[in-house]
């Protein structure tokens, strides 16, 4: 697993289904996050608060979230129990207001959330079961809003790893920690996600990106047996690339599901 030192995480061993997951841990995490948001302190400058939240998040149990601890050993059982079908990703909302969004993303095997940004946001994520490939970039220079299609914007790959249930929670910030990320489920999996402030179109949009494609060079294609040129190779960790805006394919779909766990308030 590659991990860049700038990608903030809490060094914690496995926490899924832990005995510390009393019914109050989920609420404690939420209450602490909400209080920090209201104080205006949930950003990269408040290391103590962020680390405290990462620690709390790592101790939330699957039971509190209405999930089965057996899903850690058998993610395909998780897919069955969560009724994950096709390539559709399921989002289960736990809480949402004008300051934050808290929910569960559940992925069938092979499903992808394309590379997307989180403008001005802080996002905490924890993989609960299964395996998820996470690739994350930060802008070299923040592009001006609104971001237009067609032009490339320089970004650096700061994180590229497969995370598992034993991995520490992750956090990204407006200008660091991998503000743009792509998720690809290597097995069925679920991610607990707290995001602040929420997306709020049209001022705070979710924009999707891809590596800027090089110009089509047909002689190369012919020499390769007539196939169309393939996309650019994935960059190495630390490499700076050009990203361009794109529309996700029709196959990318996130459907809503009913959250089965304990409520928070
Ligand atoms: Fe995201």
């Amino acid at each position: 697993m590659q991990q860049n030192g700038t990608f903030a995480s809490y060094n914690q061993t496995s926490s899924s289904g832990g005995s510390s997951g009393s019914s109050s841990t989920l609420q404690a995490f939420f209450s602490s996050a909400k209080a920090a948001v209201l104080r205006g302190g949930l950003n990269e400058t408040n290391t103590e608060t962020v680390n405290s939240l990462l620690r709390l998040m790592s101790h939330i149990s699957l039971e509190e979230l209405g999930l089965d601890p057996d899903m850690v050993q058998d993610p395909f059982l998780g897919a069955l129990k969560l009724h994950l079908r096709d390539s559709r990703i399921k989002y289960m909302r736990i809480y949402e207001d004008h300051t934050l969004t808290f929910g569960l993303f559940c992925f069938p095997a092979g499903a992808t959330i394309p590379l997307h940004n989180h403008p001005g946001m802080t996002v905490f994520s924890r993989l609960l079961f299964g395996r998820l490939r996470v690739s994350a970039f930060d802008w070299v220079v923040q592009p001006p809003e609104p971001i237009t299609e067609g032009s490339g914007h320089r970004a650096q790959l700061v994180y590229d790893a497969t995370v598992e249930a034993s991995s520490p929670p992750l956090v990204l910030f407006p200008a660091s920690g991998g503000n743009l990320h792509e998720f690809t489920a290597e097995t069925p999996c679920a991610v607990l996600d707290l995001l602040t402030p929420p997306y709020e179109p049209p001022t705070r949009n979710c924009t999707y990106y891809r590596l800027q494609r090089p110009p089509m060079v047909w002689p190369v294609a012919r020499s390769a047996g007539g196939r169309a040129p393939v996309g650019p190779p994935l960059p190495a960790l630390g490499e700076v690339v050009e990203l361009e805006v794109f529309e996700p394919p029709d196959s990318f779909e996130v459907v809503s599901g009913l959250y089965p766990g304990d409520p928070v308030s």
Side-chain angles (χ1 to χ4, degrees):
M1 168 168 144
Q2 291 178 299
Q3 183 163 336
N4 183 287
T6 62
F7 198 94
S9 63
Y10 170 67
N11 291 324
Q12 165 77 27
T13 53
S14 178
S15 57
S16 300
S19 58
S20 59
S22 73
S23 61
S24 66
T25 312
L26 177 65
Q27 180 65 53
F29 169 74
F30 174 79
S31 297
S32 297
K34 179 80 175 173
V37 169
L38 294 178
R39 287 196 310 269
L42 201 43
N43 55 54
E44 63 267 60
T45 63
N46 196 331
T47 309
E48 195 174 324
T49 300
V50 167
N51 283 339
S52 168
L53 283 167
L54 289 167
R55 193 177 306 114
L56 270 174
M57 190 182 210
S58 72
H59 285 98
I60 296 170
S61 71
L62 270 66
E63 291 98 325
E64 288 177 276
L65 298 166
L67 304 178
D68 187 333
D70 288 347
M71 293 171 176
V72 175
Q73 277 71 45
D74 187 353
F76 289 92
L77 174 73
L80 208 62
K81 289 188 173 178
L82 291 167
H83 308 291
L84 299 175
R85 293 175 292 134
D86 313 315
S87 61
R88 291 182 300 179
I89 296 160
K90 190 175 279 189
Y91 181 70
M92 301 171 173
R93 185 181 65 184
I94 301 173
Y95 180 93
E96 184 176 327
D97 67 14
H98 67 286
T99 66
L100 63 83
T101 302
F102 189 30
L104 280 172
F105 283 98
C106 303
F107 295 74
T112 293
I113 296 182
L115 185 65
H116 59 282
N117 65 341
H118 307 81
M121 300 178 190
T122 296
V123 180
F124 292 82
S125 303
R126 179 185 149 203
L127 188 75
L128 299 164
F129 70 85
R131 289 201 317 271
L132 182 72
R133 179 68 178 266
V134 180
S135 303
F137 294 81
D138 280 317
W139 294 122
V140 174
V141 177
Q142 180 78 36
E145 298 275 353
I147 296 168
T148 54
E149 291 188 38
S151 54
H153 302 282
R154 295 176 74 215
Q156 183 179 34
L157 182 67
V158 297
Y159 187 87
D160 185 17
T162 296
V163 293
E164 302 180 347
S166 58
S167 303
L170 305 172
V171 61
L172 64 83
F173 302 108
S176 64
N179 184 269
L180 303 100
H181 62 198
E182 177 178 277
F183 289 163
T184 300
E186 294 184 355
T187 69
C189 62
V191 177
L192 182 62
D193 191 77
L194 186 141
L195 184 154
T196 180
Y199 288 111
E200 194 176 344
T203 53
R204 196 176 300 113
N205 288 314
C206 180
T207 306
Y208 293 92
Y209 296 88
R210 66 183 176 191
L211 296 178
Q212 193 168 47
R213 312 246 160 180
M216 306 244 299
V217 184
W218 288 108
V220 171
R222 280 198 296 273
S223 68
R227 294 194 303 265
V230 295
L234 288 175
L237 200 64
E239 191 173 335
V240 173
V241 296
E242 297 268 342
L243 301 179
E244 63 182 6
V245 175
F246 94 118
E247 276 296 316
D250 291 342
S251 58
F252 171 58
E253 185 181 10
V254 179
V255 297
S256 296
L258 196 61
Y259 167 61
D262 297 343
V264 297
S265 59

